[in-house]
């Protein structure tokens, strides 16, 4: 079980409001994308959920337990893979497990194999491409003992082709485990392709502007990206985000 409830979170940065009474939830086994313009406080929200900083008001609940300001309750993958350069790939992926329990090297090897990283177990991060390093970071998140995973724009540094491959790979892996995921992105197509729900944030101070329940069945296929239905949804979300842009200029 792993349900996150975000309740009326407000946060100031240098006296300026960044988040204003943000409330939403991620149900057990649900994949939710948080979509907003750059600088809309998406990463700030992650830091708050992860307990790196505390909100001015509001609370976070994981399975009914208040985790506000607590570290270690969730698994977090930042924008850059942030692997330890002195540790081998296999030692990087078991890191989360190592902190909490005895590392399961067999499972780690299986996951790396599924990630297309067979034969790289004993390599070091600098020997891998950006996309491969990102996959290592994912495997580490999926192997962490926490059931709730926060992914912060993990594909933003990749080219479009690699990005799509990574999205498909992530979905395949996720289908097997169905962990609860909160995924931050500013890419509409990515949000639609991956998620069960897309939550649109307004520009600063960020508030929940609209929520879209994605109707596409799983498992998702690449052809979906070119369908009429997909483009219709993409347009609706784009207009919602454009509204943010227009409000700022009035």
């Amino acid at each position: 079980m792993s349900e996150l409830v975000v309740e009326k979170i407000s946060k100031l940065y240098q006296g300026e409001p960044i988040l204003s009474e943000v409330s939403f939830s991620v149900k057990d086994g649900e994949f939710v994308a948080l979509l907003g313009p750059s600088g809309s406080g998406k990463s700030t929200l992650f830091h708050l959920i992860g307990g790196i900083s505390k909100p001015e008001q509001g609370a976070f609940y994981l399975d009914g337990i208040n985790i506000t300001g607590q570290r270690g309750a969730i698994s977090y993958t930042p924008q850059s893979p942030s692997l330890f350069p002195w540790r081998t790939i296999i030692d990087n992926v078991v890191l989360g497990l190592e902190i909490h329990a005895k590392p399961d090297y067999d499972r780690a090897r299986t996951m790396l194999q599924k990630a297309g990283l067979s034969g790289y177990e004993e390599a070091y991060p600098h020997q891998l491409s950006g996309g491969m390093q990102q996959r290592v970071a994912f495997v580490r998140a999926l192997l962490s003992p926490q059931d709730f995973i926060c992914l912060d724009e993990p594909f933003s540094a990749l080219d479009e082709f690699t990005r799509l491959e990574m999205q498909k790979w992530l979905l395949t892996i996720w289908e097997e485990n169905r962990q609860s995921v909160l995924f931050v992105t500013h890419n509409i197509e990515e949000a639609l392709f991956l998620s069960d729900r897309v939550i649109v944030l307004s520009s600063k101070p960020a508030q929940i502007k609209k929520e879209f329940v994605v109707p596409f069945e799983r498992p998702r296929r690449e052809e979906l990206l070119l369908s009429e239905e997909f483009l219709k949804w993409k347009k609706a979300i784009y207009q919602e985000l454009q509204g943010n842009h227009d409000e700022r200029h009035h």
Side-chain angles (χ1 to χ4, degrees), residues 104-139:
D104 183 345
Y105 280 95
D106 289 339
R107 187 160 176 244
R109 281 198 176 83
T110 308
M111 290 287 270
L112 284 170
Q113 196 177 345
K114 282 184 184 154
L117 293 163
S118 255
Y120 288 96
E121 294 86 354
E122 303 305 325
Y124 287 90
H126 73 269
Q127 297 169 298
L128 272 61
S129 70
M132 288 162 92
Q133 287 187 30
Q134 195 64 58
R135 273 182 282 177
V136 174
F138 273 136
V139 172

Side-chain angles (χ1 to χ4, degrees), residues 38-211:
S38 292
S40 63
K42 301 186 296 290
S43 293
T44 305
L45 190 59
F46 268 7
H47 290 157
L48 292 168
I49 296 171
I52 295 166
S53 56
K54 280 187 176 175
E56 259 63 51
Q57 75 166 60
F60 298 100
Y61 297 94
L62 192 62
D63 299 333
I65 297 161
N66 191 329
I67 58 157
T68 317
Q70 274 186 40
R71 295 186 183 204
I74 60 152
S75 174
Y76 173 66
T77 298
Q79 289 180 24
S80 59
S82 62
L83 304 172
F84 288 126
W86 61 88
R87 291 183 76 130
T88 61
I89 296 312
I90 191 112
D91 284 337
N92 262 293
V93 300
V94 297
L95 196 61
L97 283 170
E98 214 172 85
I99 297 163
H100 288 81
K102 193 172 173 291
D104 183 345
Y105 280 95
D106 289 339
R107 187 160 176 244
R109 281 198 176 83
T110 308
M111 290 287 270
L112 284 170
Q113 196 177 345
K114 282 184 184 154
L117 293 163
S118 255
Y120 288 96
E121 294 86 354
E122 303 305 325
Y124 287 90
H126 73 269
Q127 297 169 298
L128 272 61
S129 70
M132 288 162 92
Q133 287 187 30
Q134 195 64 58
R135 273 182 282 177
V136 174
F138 273 136
V139 172
R140 181 179 59 193
L142 291 164
L143 280 171
S144 288
Q146 302 91 338
D147 289 328
F148 196 95
I149 301 176
C150 285
L151 301 173
D152 189 359
E153 297 198 27
F155 305 135
S156 55
L158 306 173
D159 63 79
E160 209 158 311
F161 179 72
T162 312
R163 189 176 188 141
L164 180 60
E165 288 306 305
M166 286 293 293
Q167 288 165 3
K168 290 191 296 189
W169 174 78
L170 174 62
L171 283 180
T172 311
I173 297 277
W174 176 79
E175 288 283 349
E176 286 178 21
N177 302 283
R178 285 285 169 126
Q179 279 152 301
S180 313
V181 174
L182 182 60
F183 188 100
V184 157
T185 179
H186 57 254
N187 184 306
I188 300 172
E189 204 164 275
E190 178 165 87
L192 265 177
F193 185 55
L194 296 173
S195 327
D196 297 309
R197 275 188 298 140
V198 177
I199 293 169
V200 177
L201 285 179
S202 68
S203 38
K204 268 195 289 206
Q207 292 174 310
I208 302 287
K209 199 153 181 259
K210 191 151 183 181
E211 196 176 287

